[in-house]
């Protein structure tokens, strides 16, 4: 099954331009050098799936005119990948559905700490409504349409009440299988980060170590994305030589670099120096 992926954000944790910086990349007039925090929208098997929900989530949804989401897949718990989850409230209100969130156990633990009000037994009215699905980072899992999720009914002064769906959806959308690829945000295996394969497309970010058995899950992909914040060694991201070597090992027809910082050249210059078949991604780019 083929997928379509839209890059909603391709910047590192500080975004590009970075606050207060006047370097050539940050001062570029090329719209491809205006990078929100890293996130993608995947359309796969009739489902709309968001990977990561960072602090630019609201702006990304408005810019891409996204009106529906079935699920959010989180790669890890850092704020540049989870800081926009409160804004899920807009989808709760307009679609009258809780949002399905898929993540590892430690990420759920982090969400329960940082967004405690979203998990309270007696919620503050208007708190985001999530349904968290805990996943094993080594095993494939199913992502479901939100059509059969509880219906949210607003009651003033109380918040949302959950009711069973009022009717069977006009069109049943089958669940889709997603394959997680586990990597590490530090070569000492300090923090697990999940990439995801959707059929012919794989999206991975915020890693600097992927074990061989996990790389095998990428065999046969047509499109692949990896992260790089600078040319030289970094404690938690791939360097440019490392990411180019991985692209060669994976062997996809089309390879993209994301999570870019202002430490890399402007898009036009960077693109011109990369090997054929490898490109820097940019906000708004659609592949698949």
């Amino acid at each position: 099954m083929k997928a379509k992926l839209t890059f909603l954000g391709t910047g590192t944790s500080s975004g590009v331009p970075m606050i207060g910086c006047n370097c050539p990349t940050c001062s570029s007039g090329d719209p491809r050098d205006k990078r929100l925090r890293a996130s993608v929208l995947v359309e796969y098997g009739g489902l709309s799936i968001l990977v990561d929900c960072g602090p630019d989530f609201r702006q990304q949804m408005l810019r891409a005119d996204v009106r529906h989401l079935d699920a959010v897949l989180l790669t890890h718990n850092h704020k540049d990948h989870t800081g926009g989850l409160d804004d899920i409230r807009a989808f709760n209100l307009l679609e009258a559905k809780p949002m399905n969130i898929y993540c590892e156990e430690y990420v759920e633990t982090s969400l329960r700490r940082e967004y405690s009000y979203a998990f309270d037994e007696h919620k503050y009215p208007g708190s985001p409504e999530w349904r968290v699905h805990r996943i094993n980072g080594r095993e494939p899992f199913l992502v479901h349409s939100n059509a059969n999720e509880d219906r949210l009914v607003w009651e003033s002064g109380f918040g949302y009440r959950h009711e069973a769906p009022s009717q069977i959806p006009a069109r049943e959308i089958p669940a889709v299988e997603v394959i997680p690829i586990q990597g590490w945000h530090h070569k000492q295996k300090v923090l697990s980060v999940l990439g995801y394969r959707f059929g012919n497309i794989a999206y991975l970010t915020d890693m600097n170590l992927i074990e061989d058995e996990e790389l095998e899950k990428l065999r046969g992909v047509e499109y692949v994305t990896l992260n790089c914040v600078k040319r030289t060694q970094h404690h938690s991201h791939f360097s440019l030589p490392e990411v180019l070597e991985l692209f060669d090992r994976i062997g996809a027809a089309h390879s993209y670099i994301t999570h870019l910082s202002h430490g890399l050249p402007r898009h036009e210059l960077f693109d011109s120096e990369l090997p054929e078949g490898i490109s820097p991604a940019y906000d708004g780019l659609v592949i698949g």
Side-chain angles (χ1 to χ4, degrees):
M1 188 182 341
K2 292 186 177 294
K4 183 173 85 170
L5 182 150
T6 301
F7 289 95
L8 300 173
T10 55
T12 190
S13 58
S14 59
V16 181
M18 188 175 78
I19 294 171
C21 185
N22 196 36
C23 74
T25 300
C26 286
S27 58
S28 168
D30 188 337
R32 294 172 296 183
D33 291 316
K34 312 300 182 188
R35 302 182 182 279
L36 300 178
R37 268 63 73 92
S39 176
V40 295
L41 177 69
V42 179
E43 296 168 67
Y44 187 50
L47 302 187
S48 293
I49 302 169
L50 182 75
V51 180
D52 284 338
C53 186
D56 299 320
F57 169 72
R58 176 180 176 275
Q59 184 178 354
Q60 290 166 344
M61 293 296 97
L62 292 172
R63 185 174 65 178
D65 194 26
V66 178
R67 304 297 181 94
H68 167 75
L69 287 176
D70 286 289
V72 177
L73 278 55
L74 298 176
T75 58
H76 62 301
N77 67 339
H78 284 172
K79 277 293 190 179
D80 56 321
H81 297 263
T82 64
L85 284 168
D86 183 78
D87 283 325
I88 291 294
R89 292 179 295 118
F91 285 104
N92 296 152
L93 178 64
L94 295 175
E95 296 201 300
K97 297 284 185 179
M99 183 62 68
N100 289 308
I101 297 177
Y102 295 77
C103 62
E104 289 190 274
E105 181 179 4
Y106 87 90
V107 178
E108 180 183 356
T109 300
S110 179
L111 296 182
R112 288 181 176 275
R113 181 175 63 250
E114 297 182 21
Y115 293 98
S116 59
Y117 59 92
F119 295 92
D120 285 343
E121 181 179 356
H122 303 291
K123 291 185 179 181
Y124 183 84
S127 297
E129 294 282 340
W130 308 330
R131 183 182 175 206
V132 179
H133 305 259
R134 191 180 298 174
I135 58 177
N136 179 331
R138 299 273 180 164
E139 300 294 334
F141 61 95
L142 295 178
V143 175
H144 297 266
S145 163
N146 72 348
N148 286 320
E149 292 298 321
D150 292 346
R151 179 170 172 263
L152 299 179
V153 179
W154 178 258
E155 181 179 322
S156 181
F158 173 82
Y160 289 111
R161 297 193 183 278
H162 288 239
E163 294 184 355
S166 58
Q167 58 184 16
I168 298 173
R171 183 171 69 93
E172 185 69 27
I173 301 176
V176 296
E177 182 181 76
V178 176
I179 300 173
I181 300 94
Q182 186 183 47
W184 300 93
H185 212 352
H186 193 287
K187 289 185 178 178
Q188 298 303 315
K189 298 186 178 180
V190 173
L191 185 71
S192 170
V193 179
L194 298 185
Y196 298 104
R197 178 172 179 171
F198 307 88
N200 63 323
I201 294 179
Y203 176 79
L204 297 85
T205 187
D206 284 56
M207 300 177 181
N208 74 345
L209 175 65
I210 308 173
E211 295 167 285
D212 289 345
E213 62 190 74
E214 293 298 295
L215 277 177
E216 280 296 308
K217 296 178 181 178
L218 299 174
R219 186 180 297 277
V221 294
E222 185 177 359
Y223 302 87
V224 67
T225 300
L226 292 170
N227 57 288
C228 177
V229 298
K230 63 178 186 176
R231 297 182 189 274
T232 56
Q233 290 289 322
H234 189 277
H235 71 277
S236 60
H237 289 272
F238 293 121
S239 66
L240 184 57
E242 288 171 332
V243 86
L244 294 179
E245 179 187 2
L246 277 171
F247 282 144
D248 186 59
R249 289 180 63 187
I250 294 166
H254 309 279
S255 301
Y256 297 90
I257 302 174
T258 194
H259 214 284
L260 300 155
S261 79
H262 70 153
L264 290 164
R266 293 182 291 109
H267 178 92
E268 184 177 14
L269 294 176
F270 192 31
D271 192 31
S272 69
E273 70 179 53
L274 291 173
E276 184 177 357
I278 300 175
S279 305
Y282 58 86
D283 293 17
L285 173 67
V286 178
I287 60 176

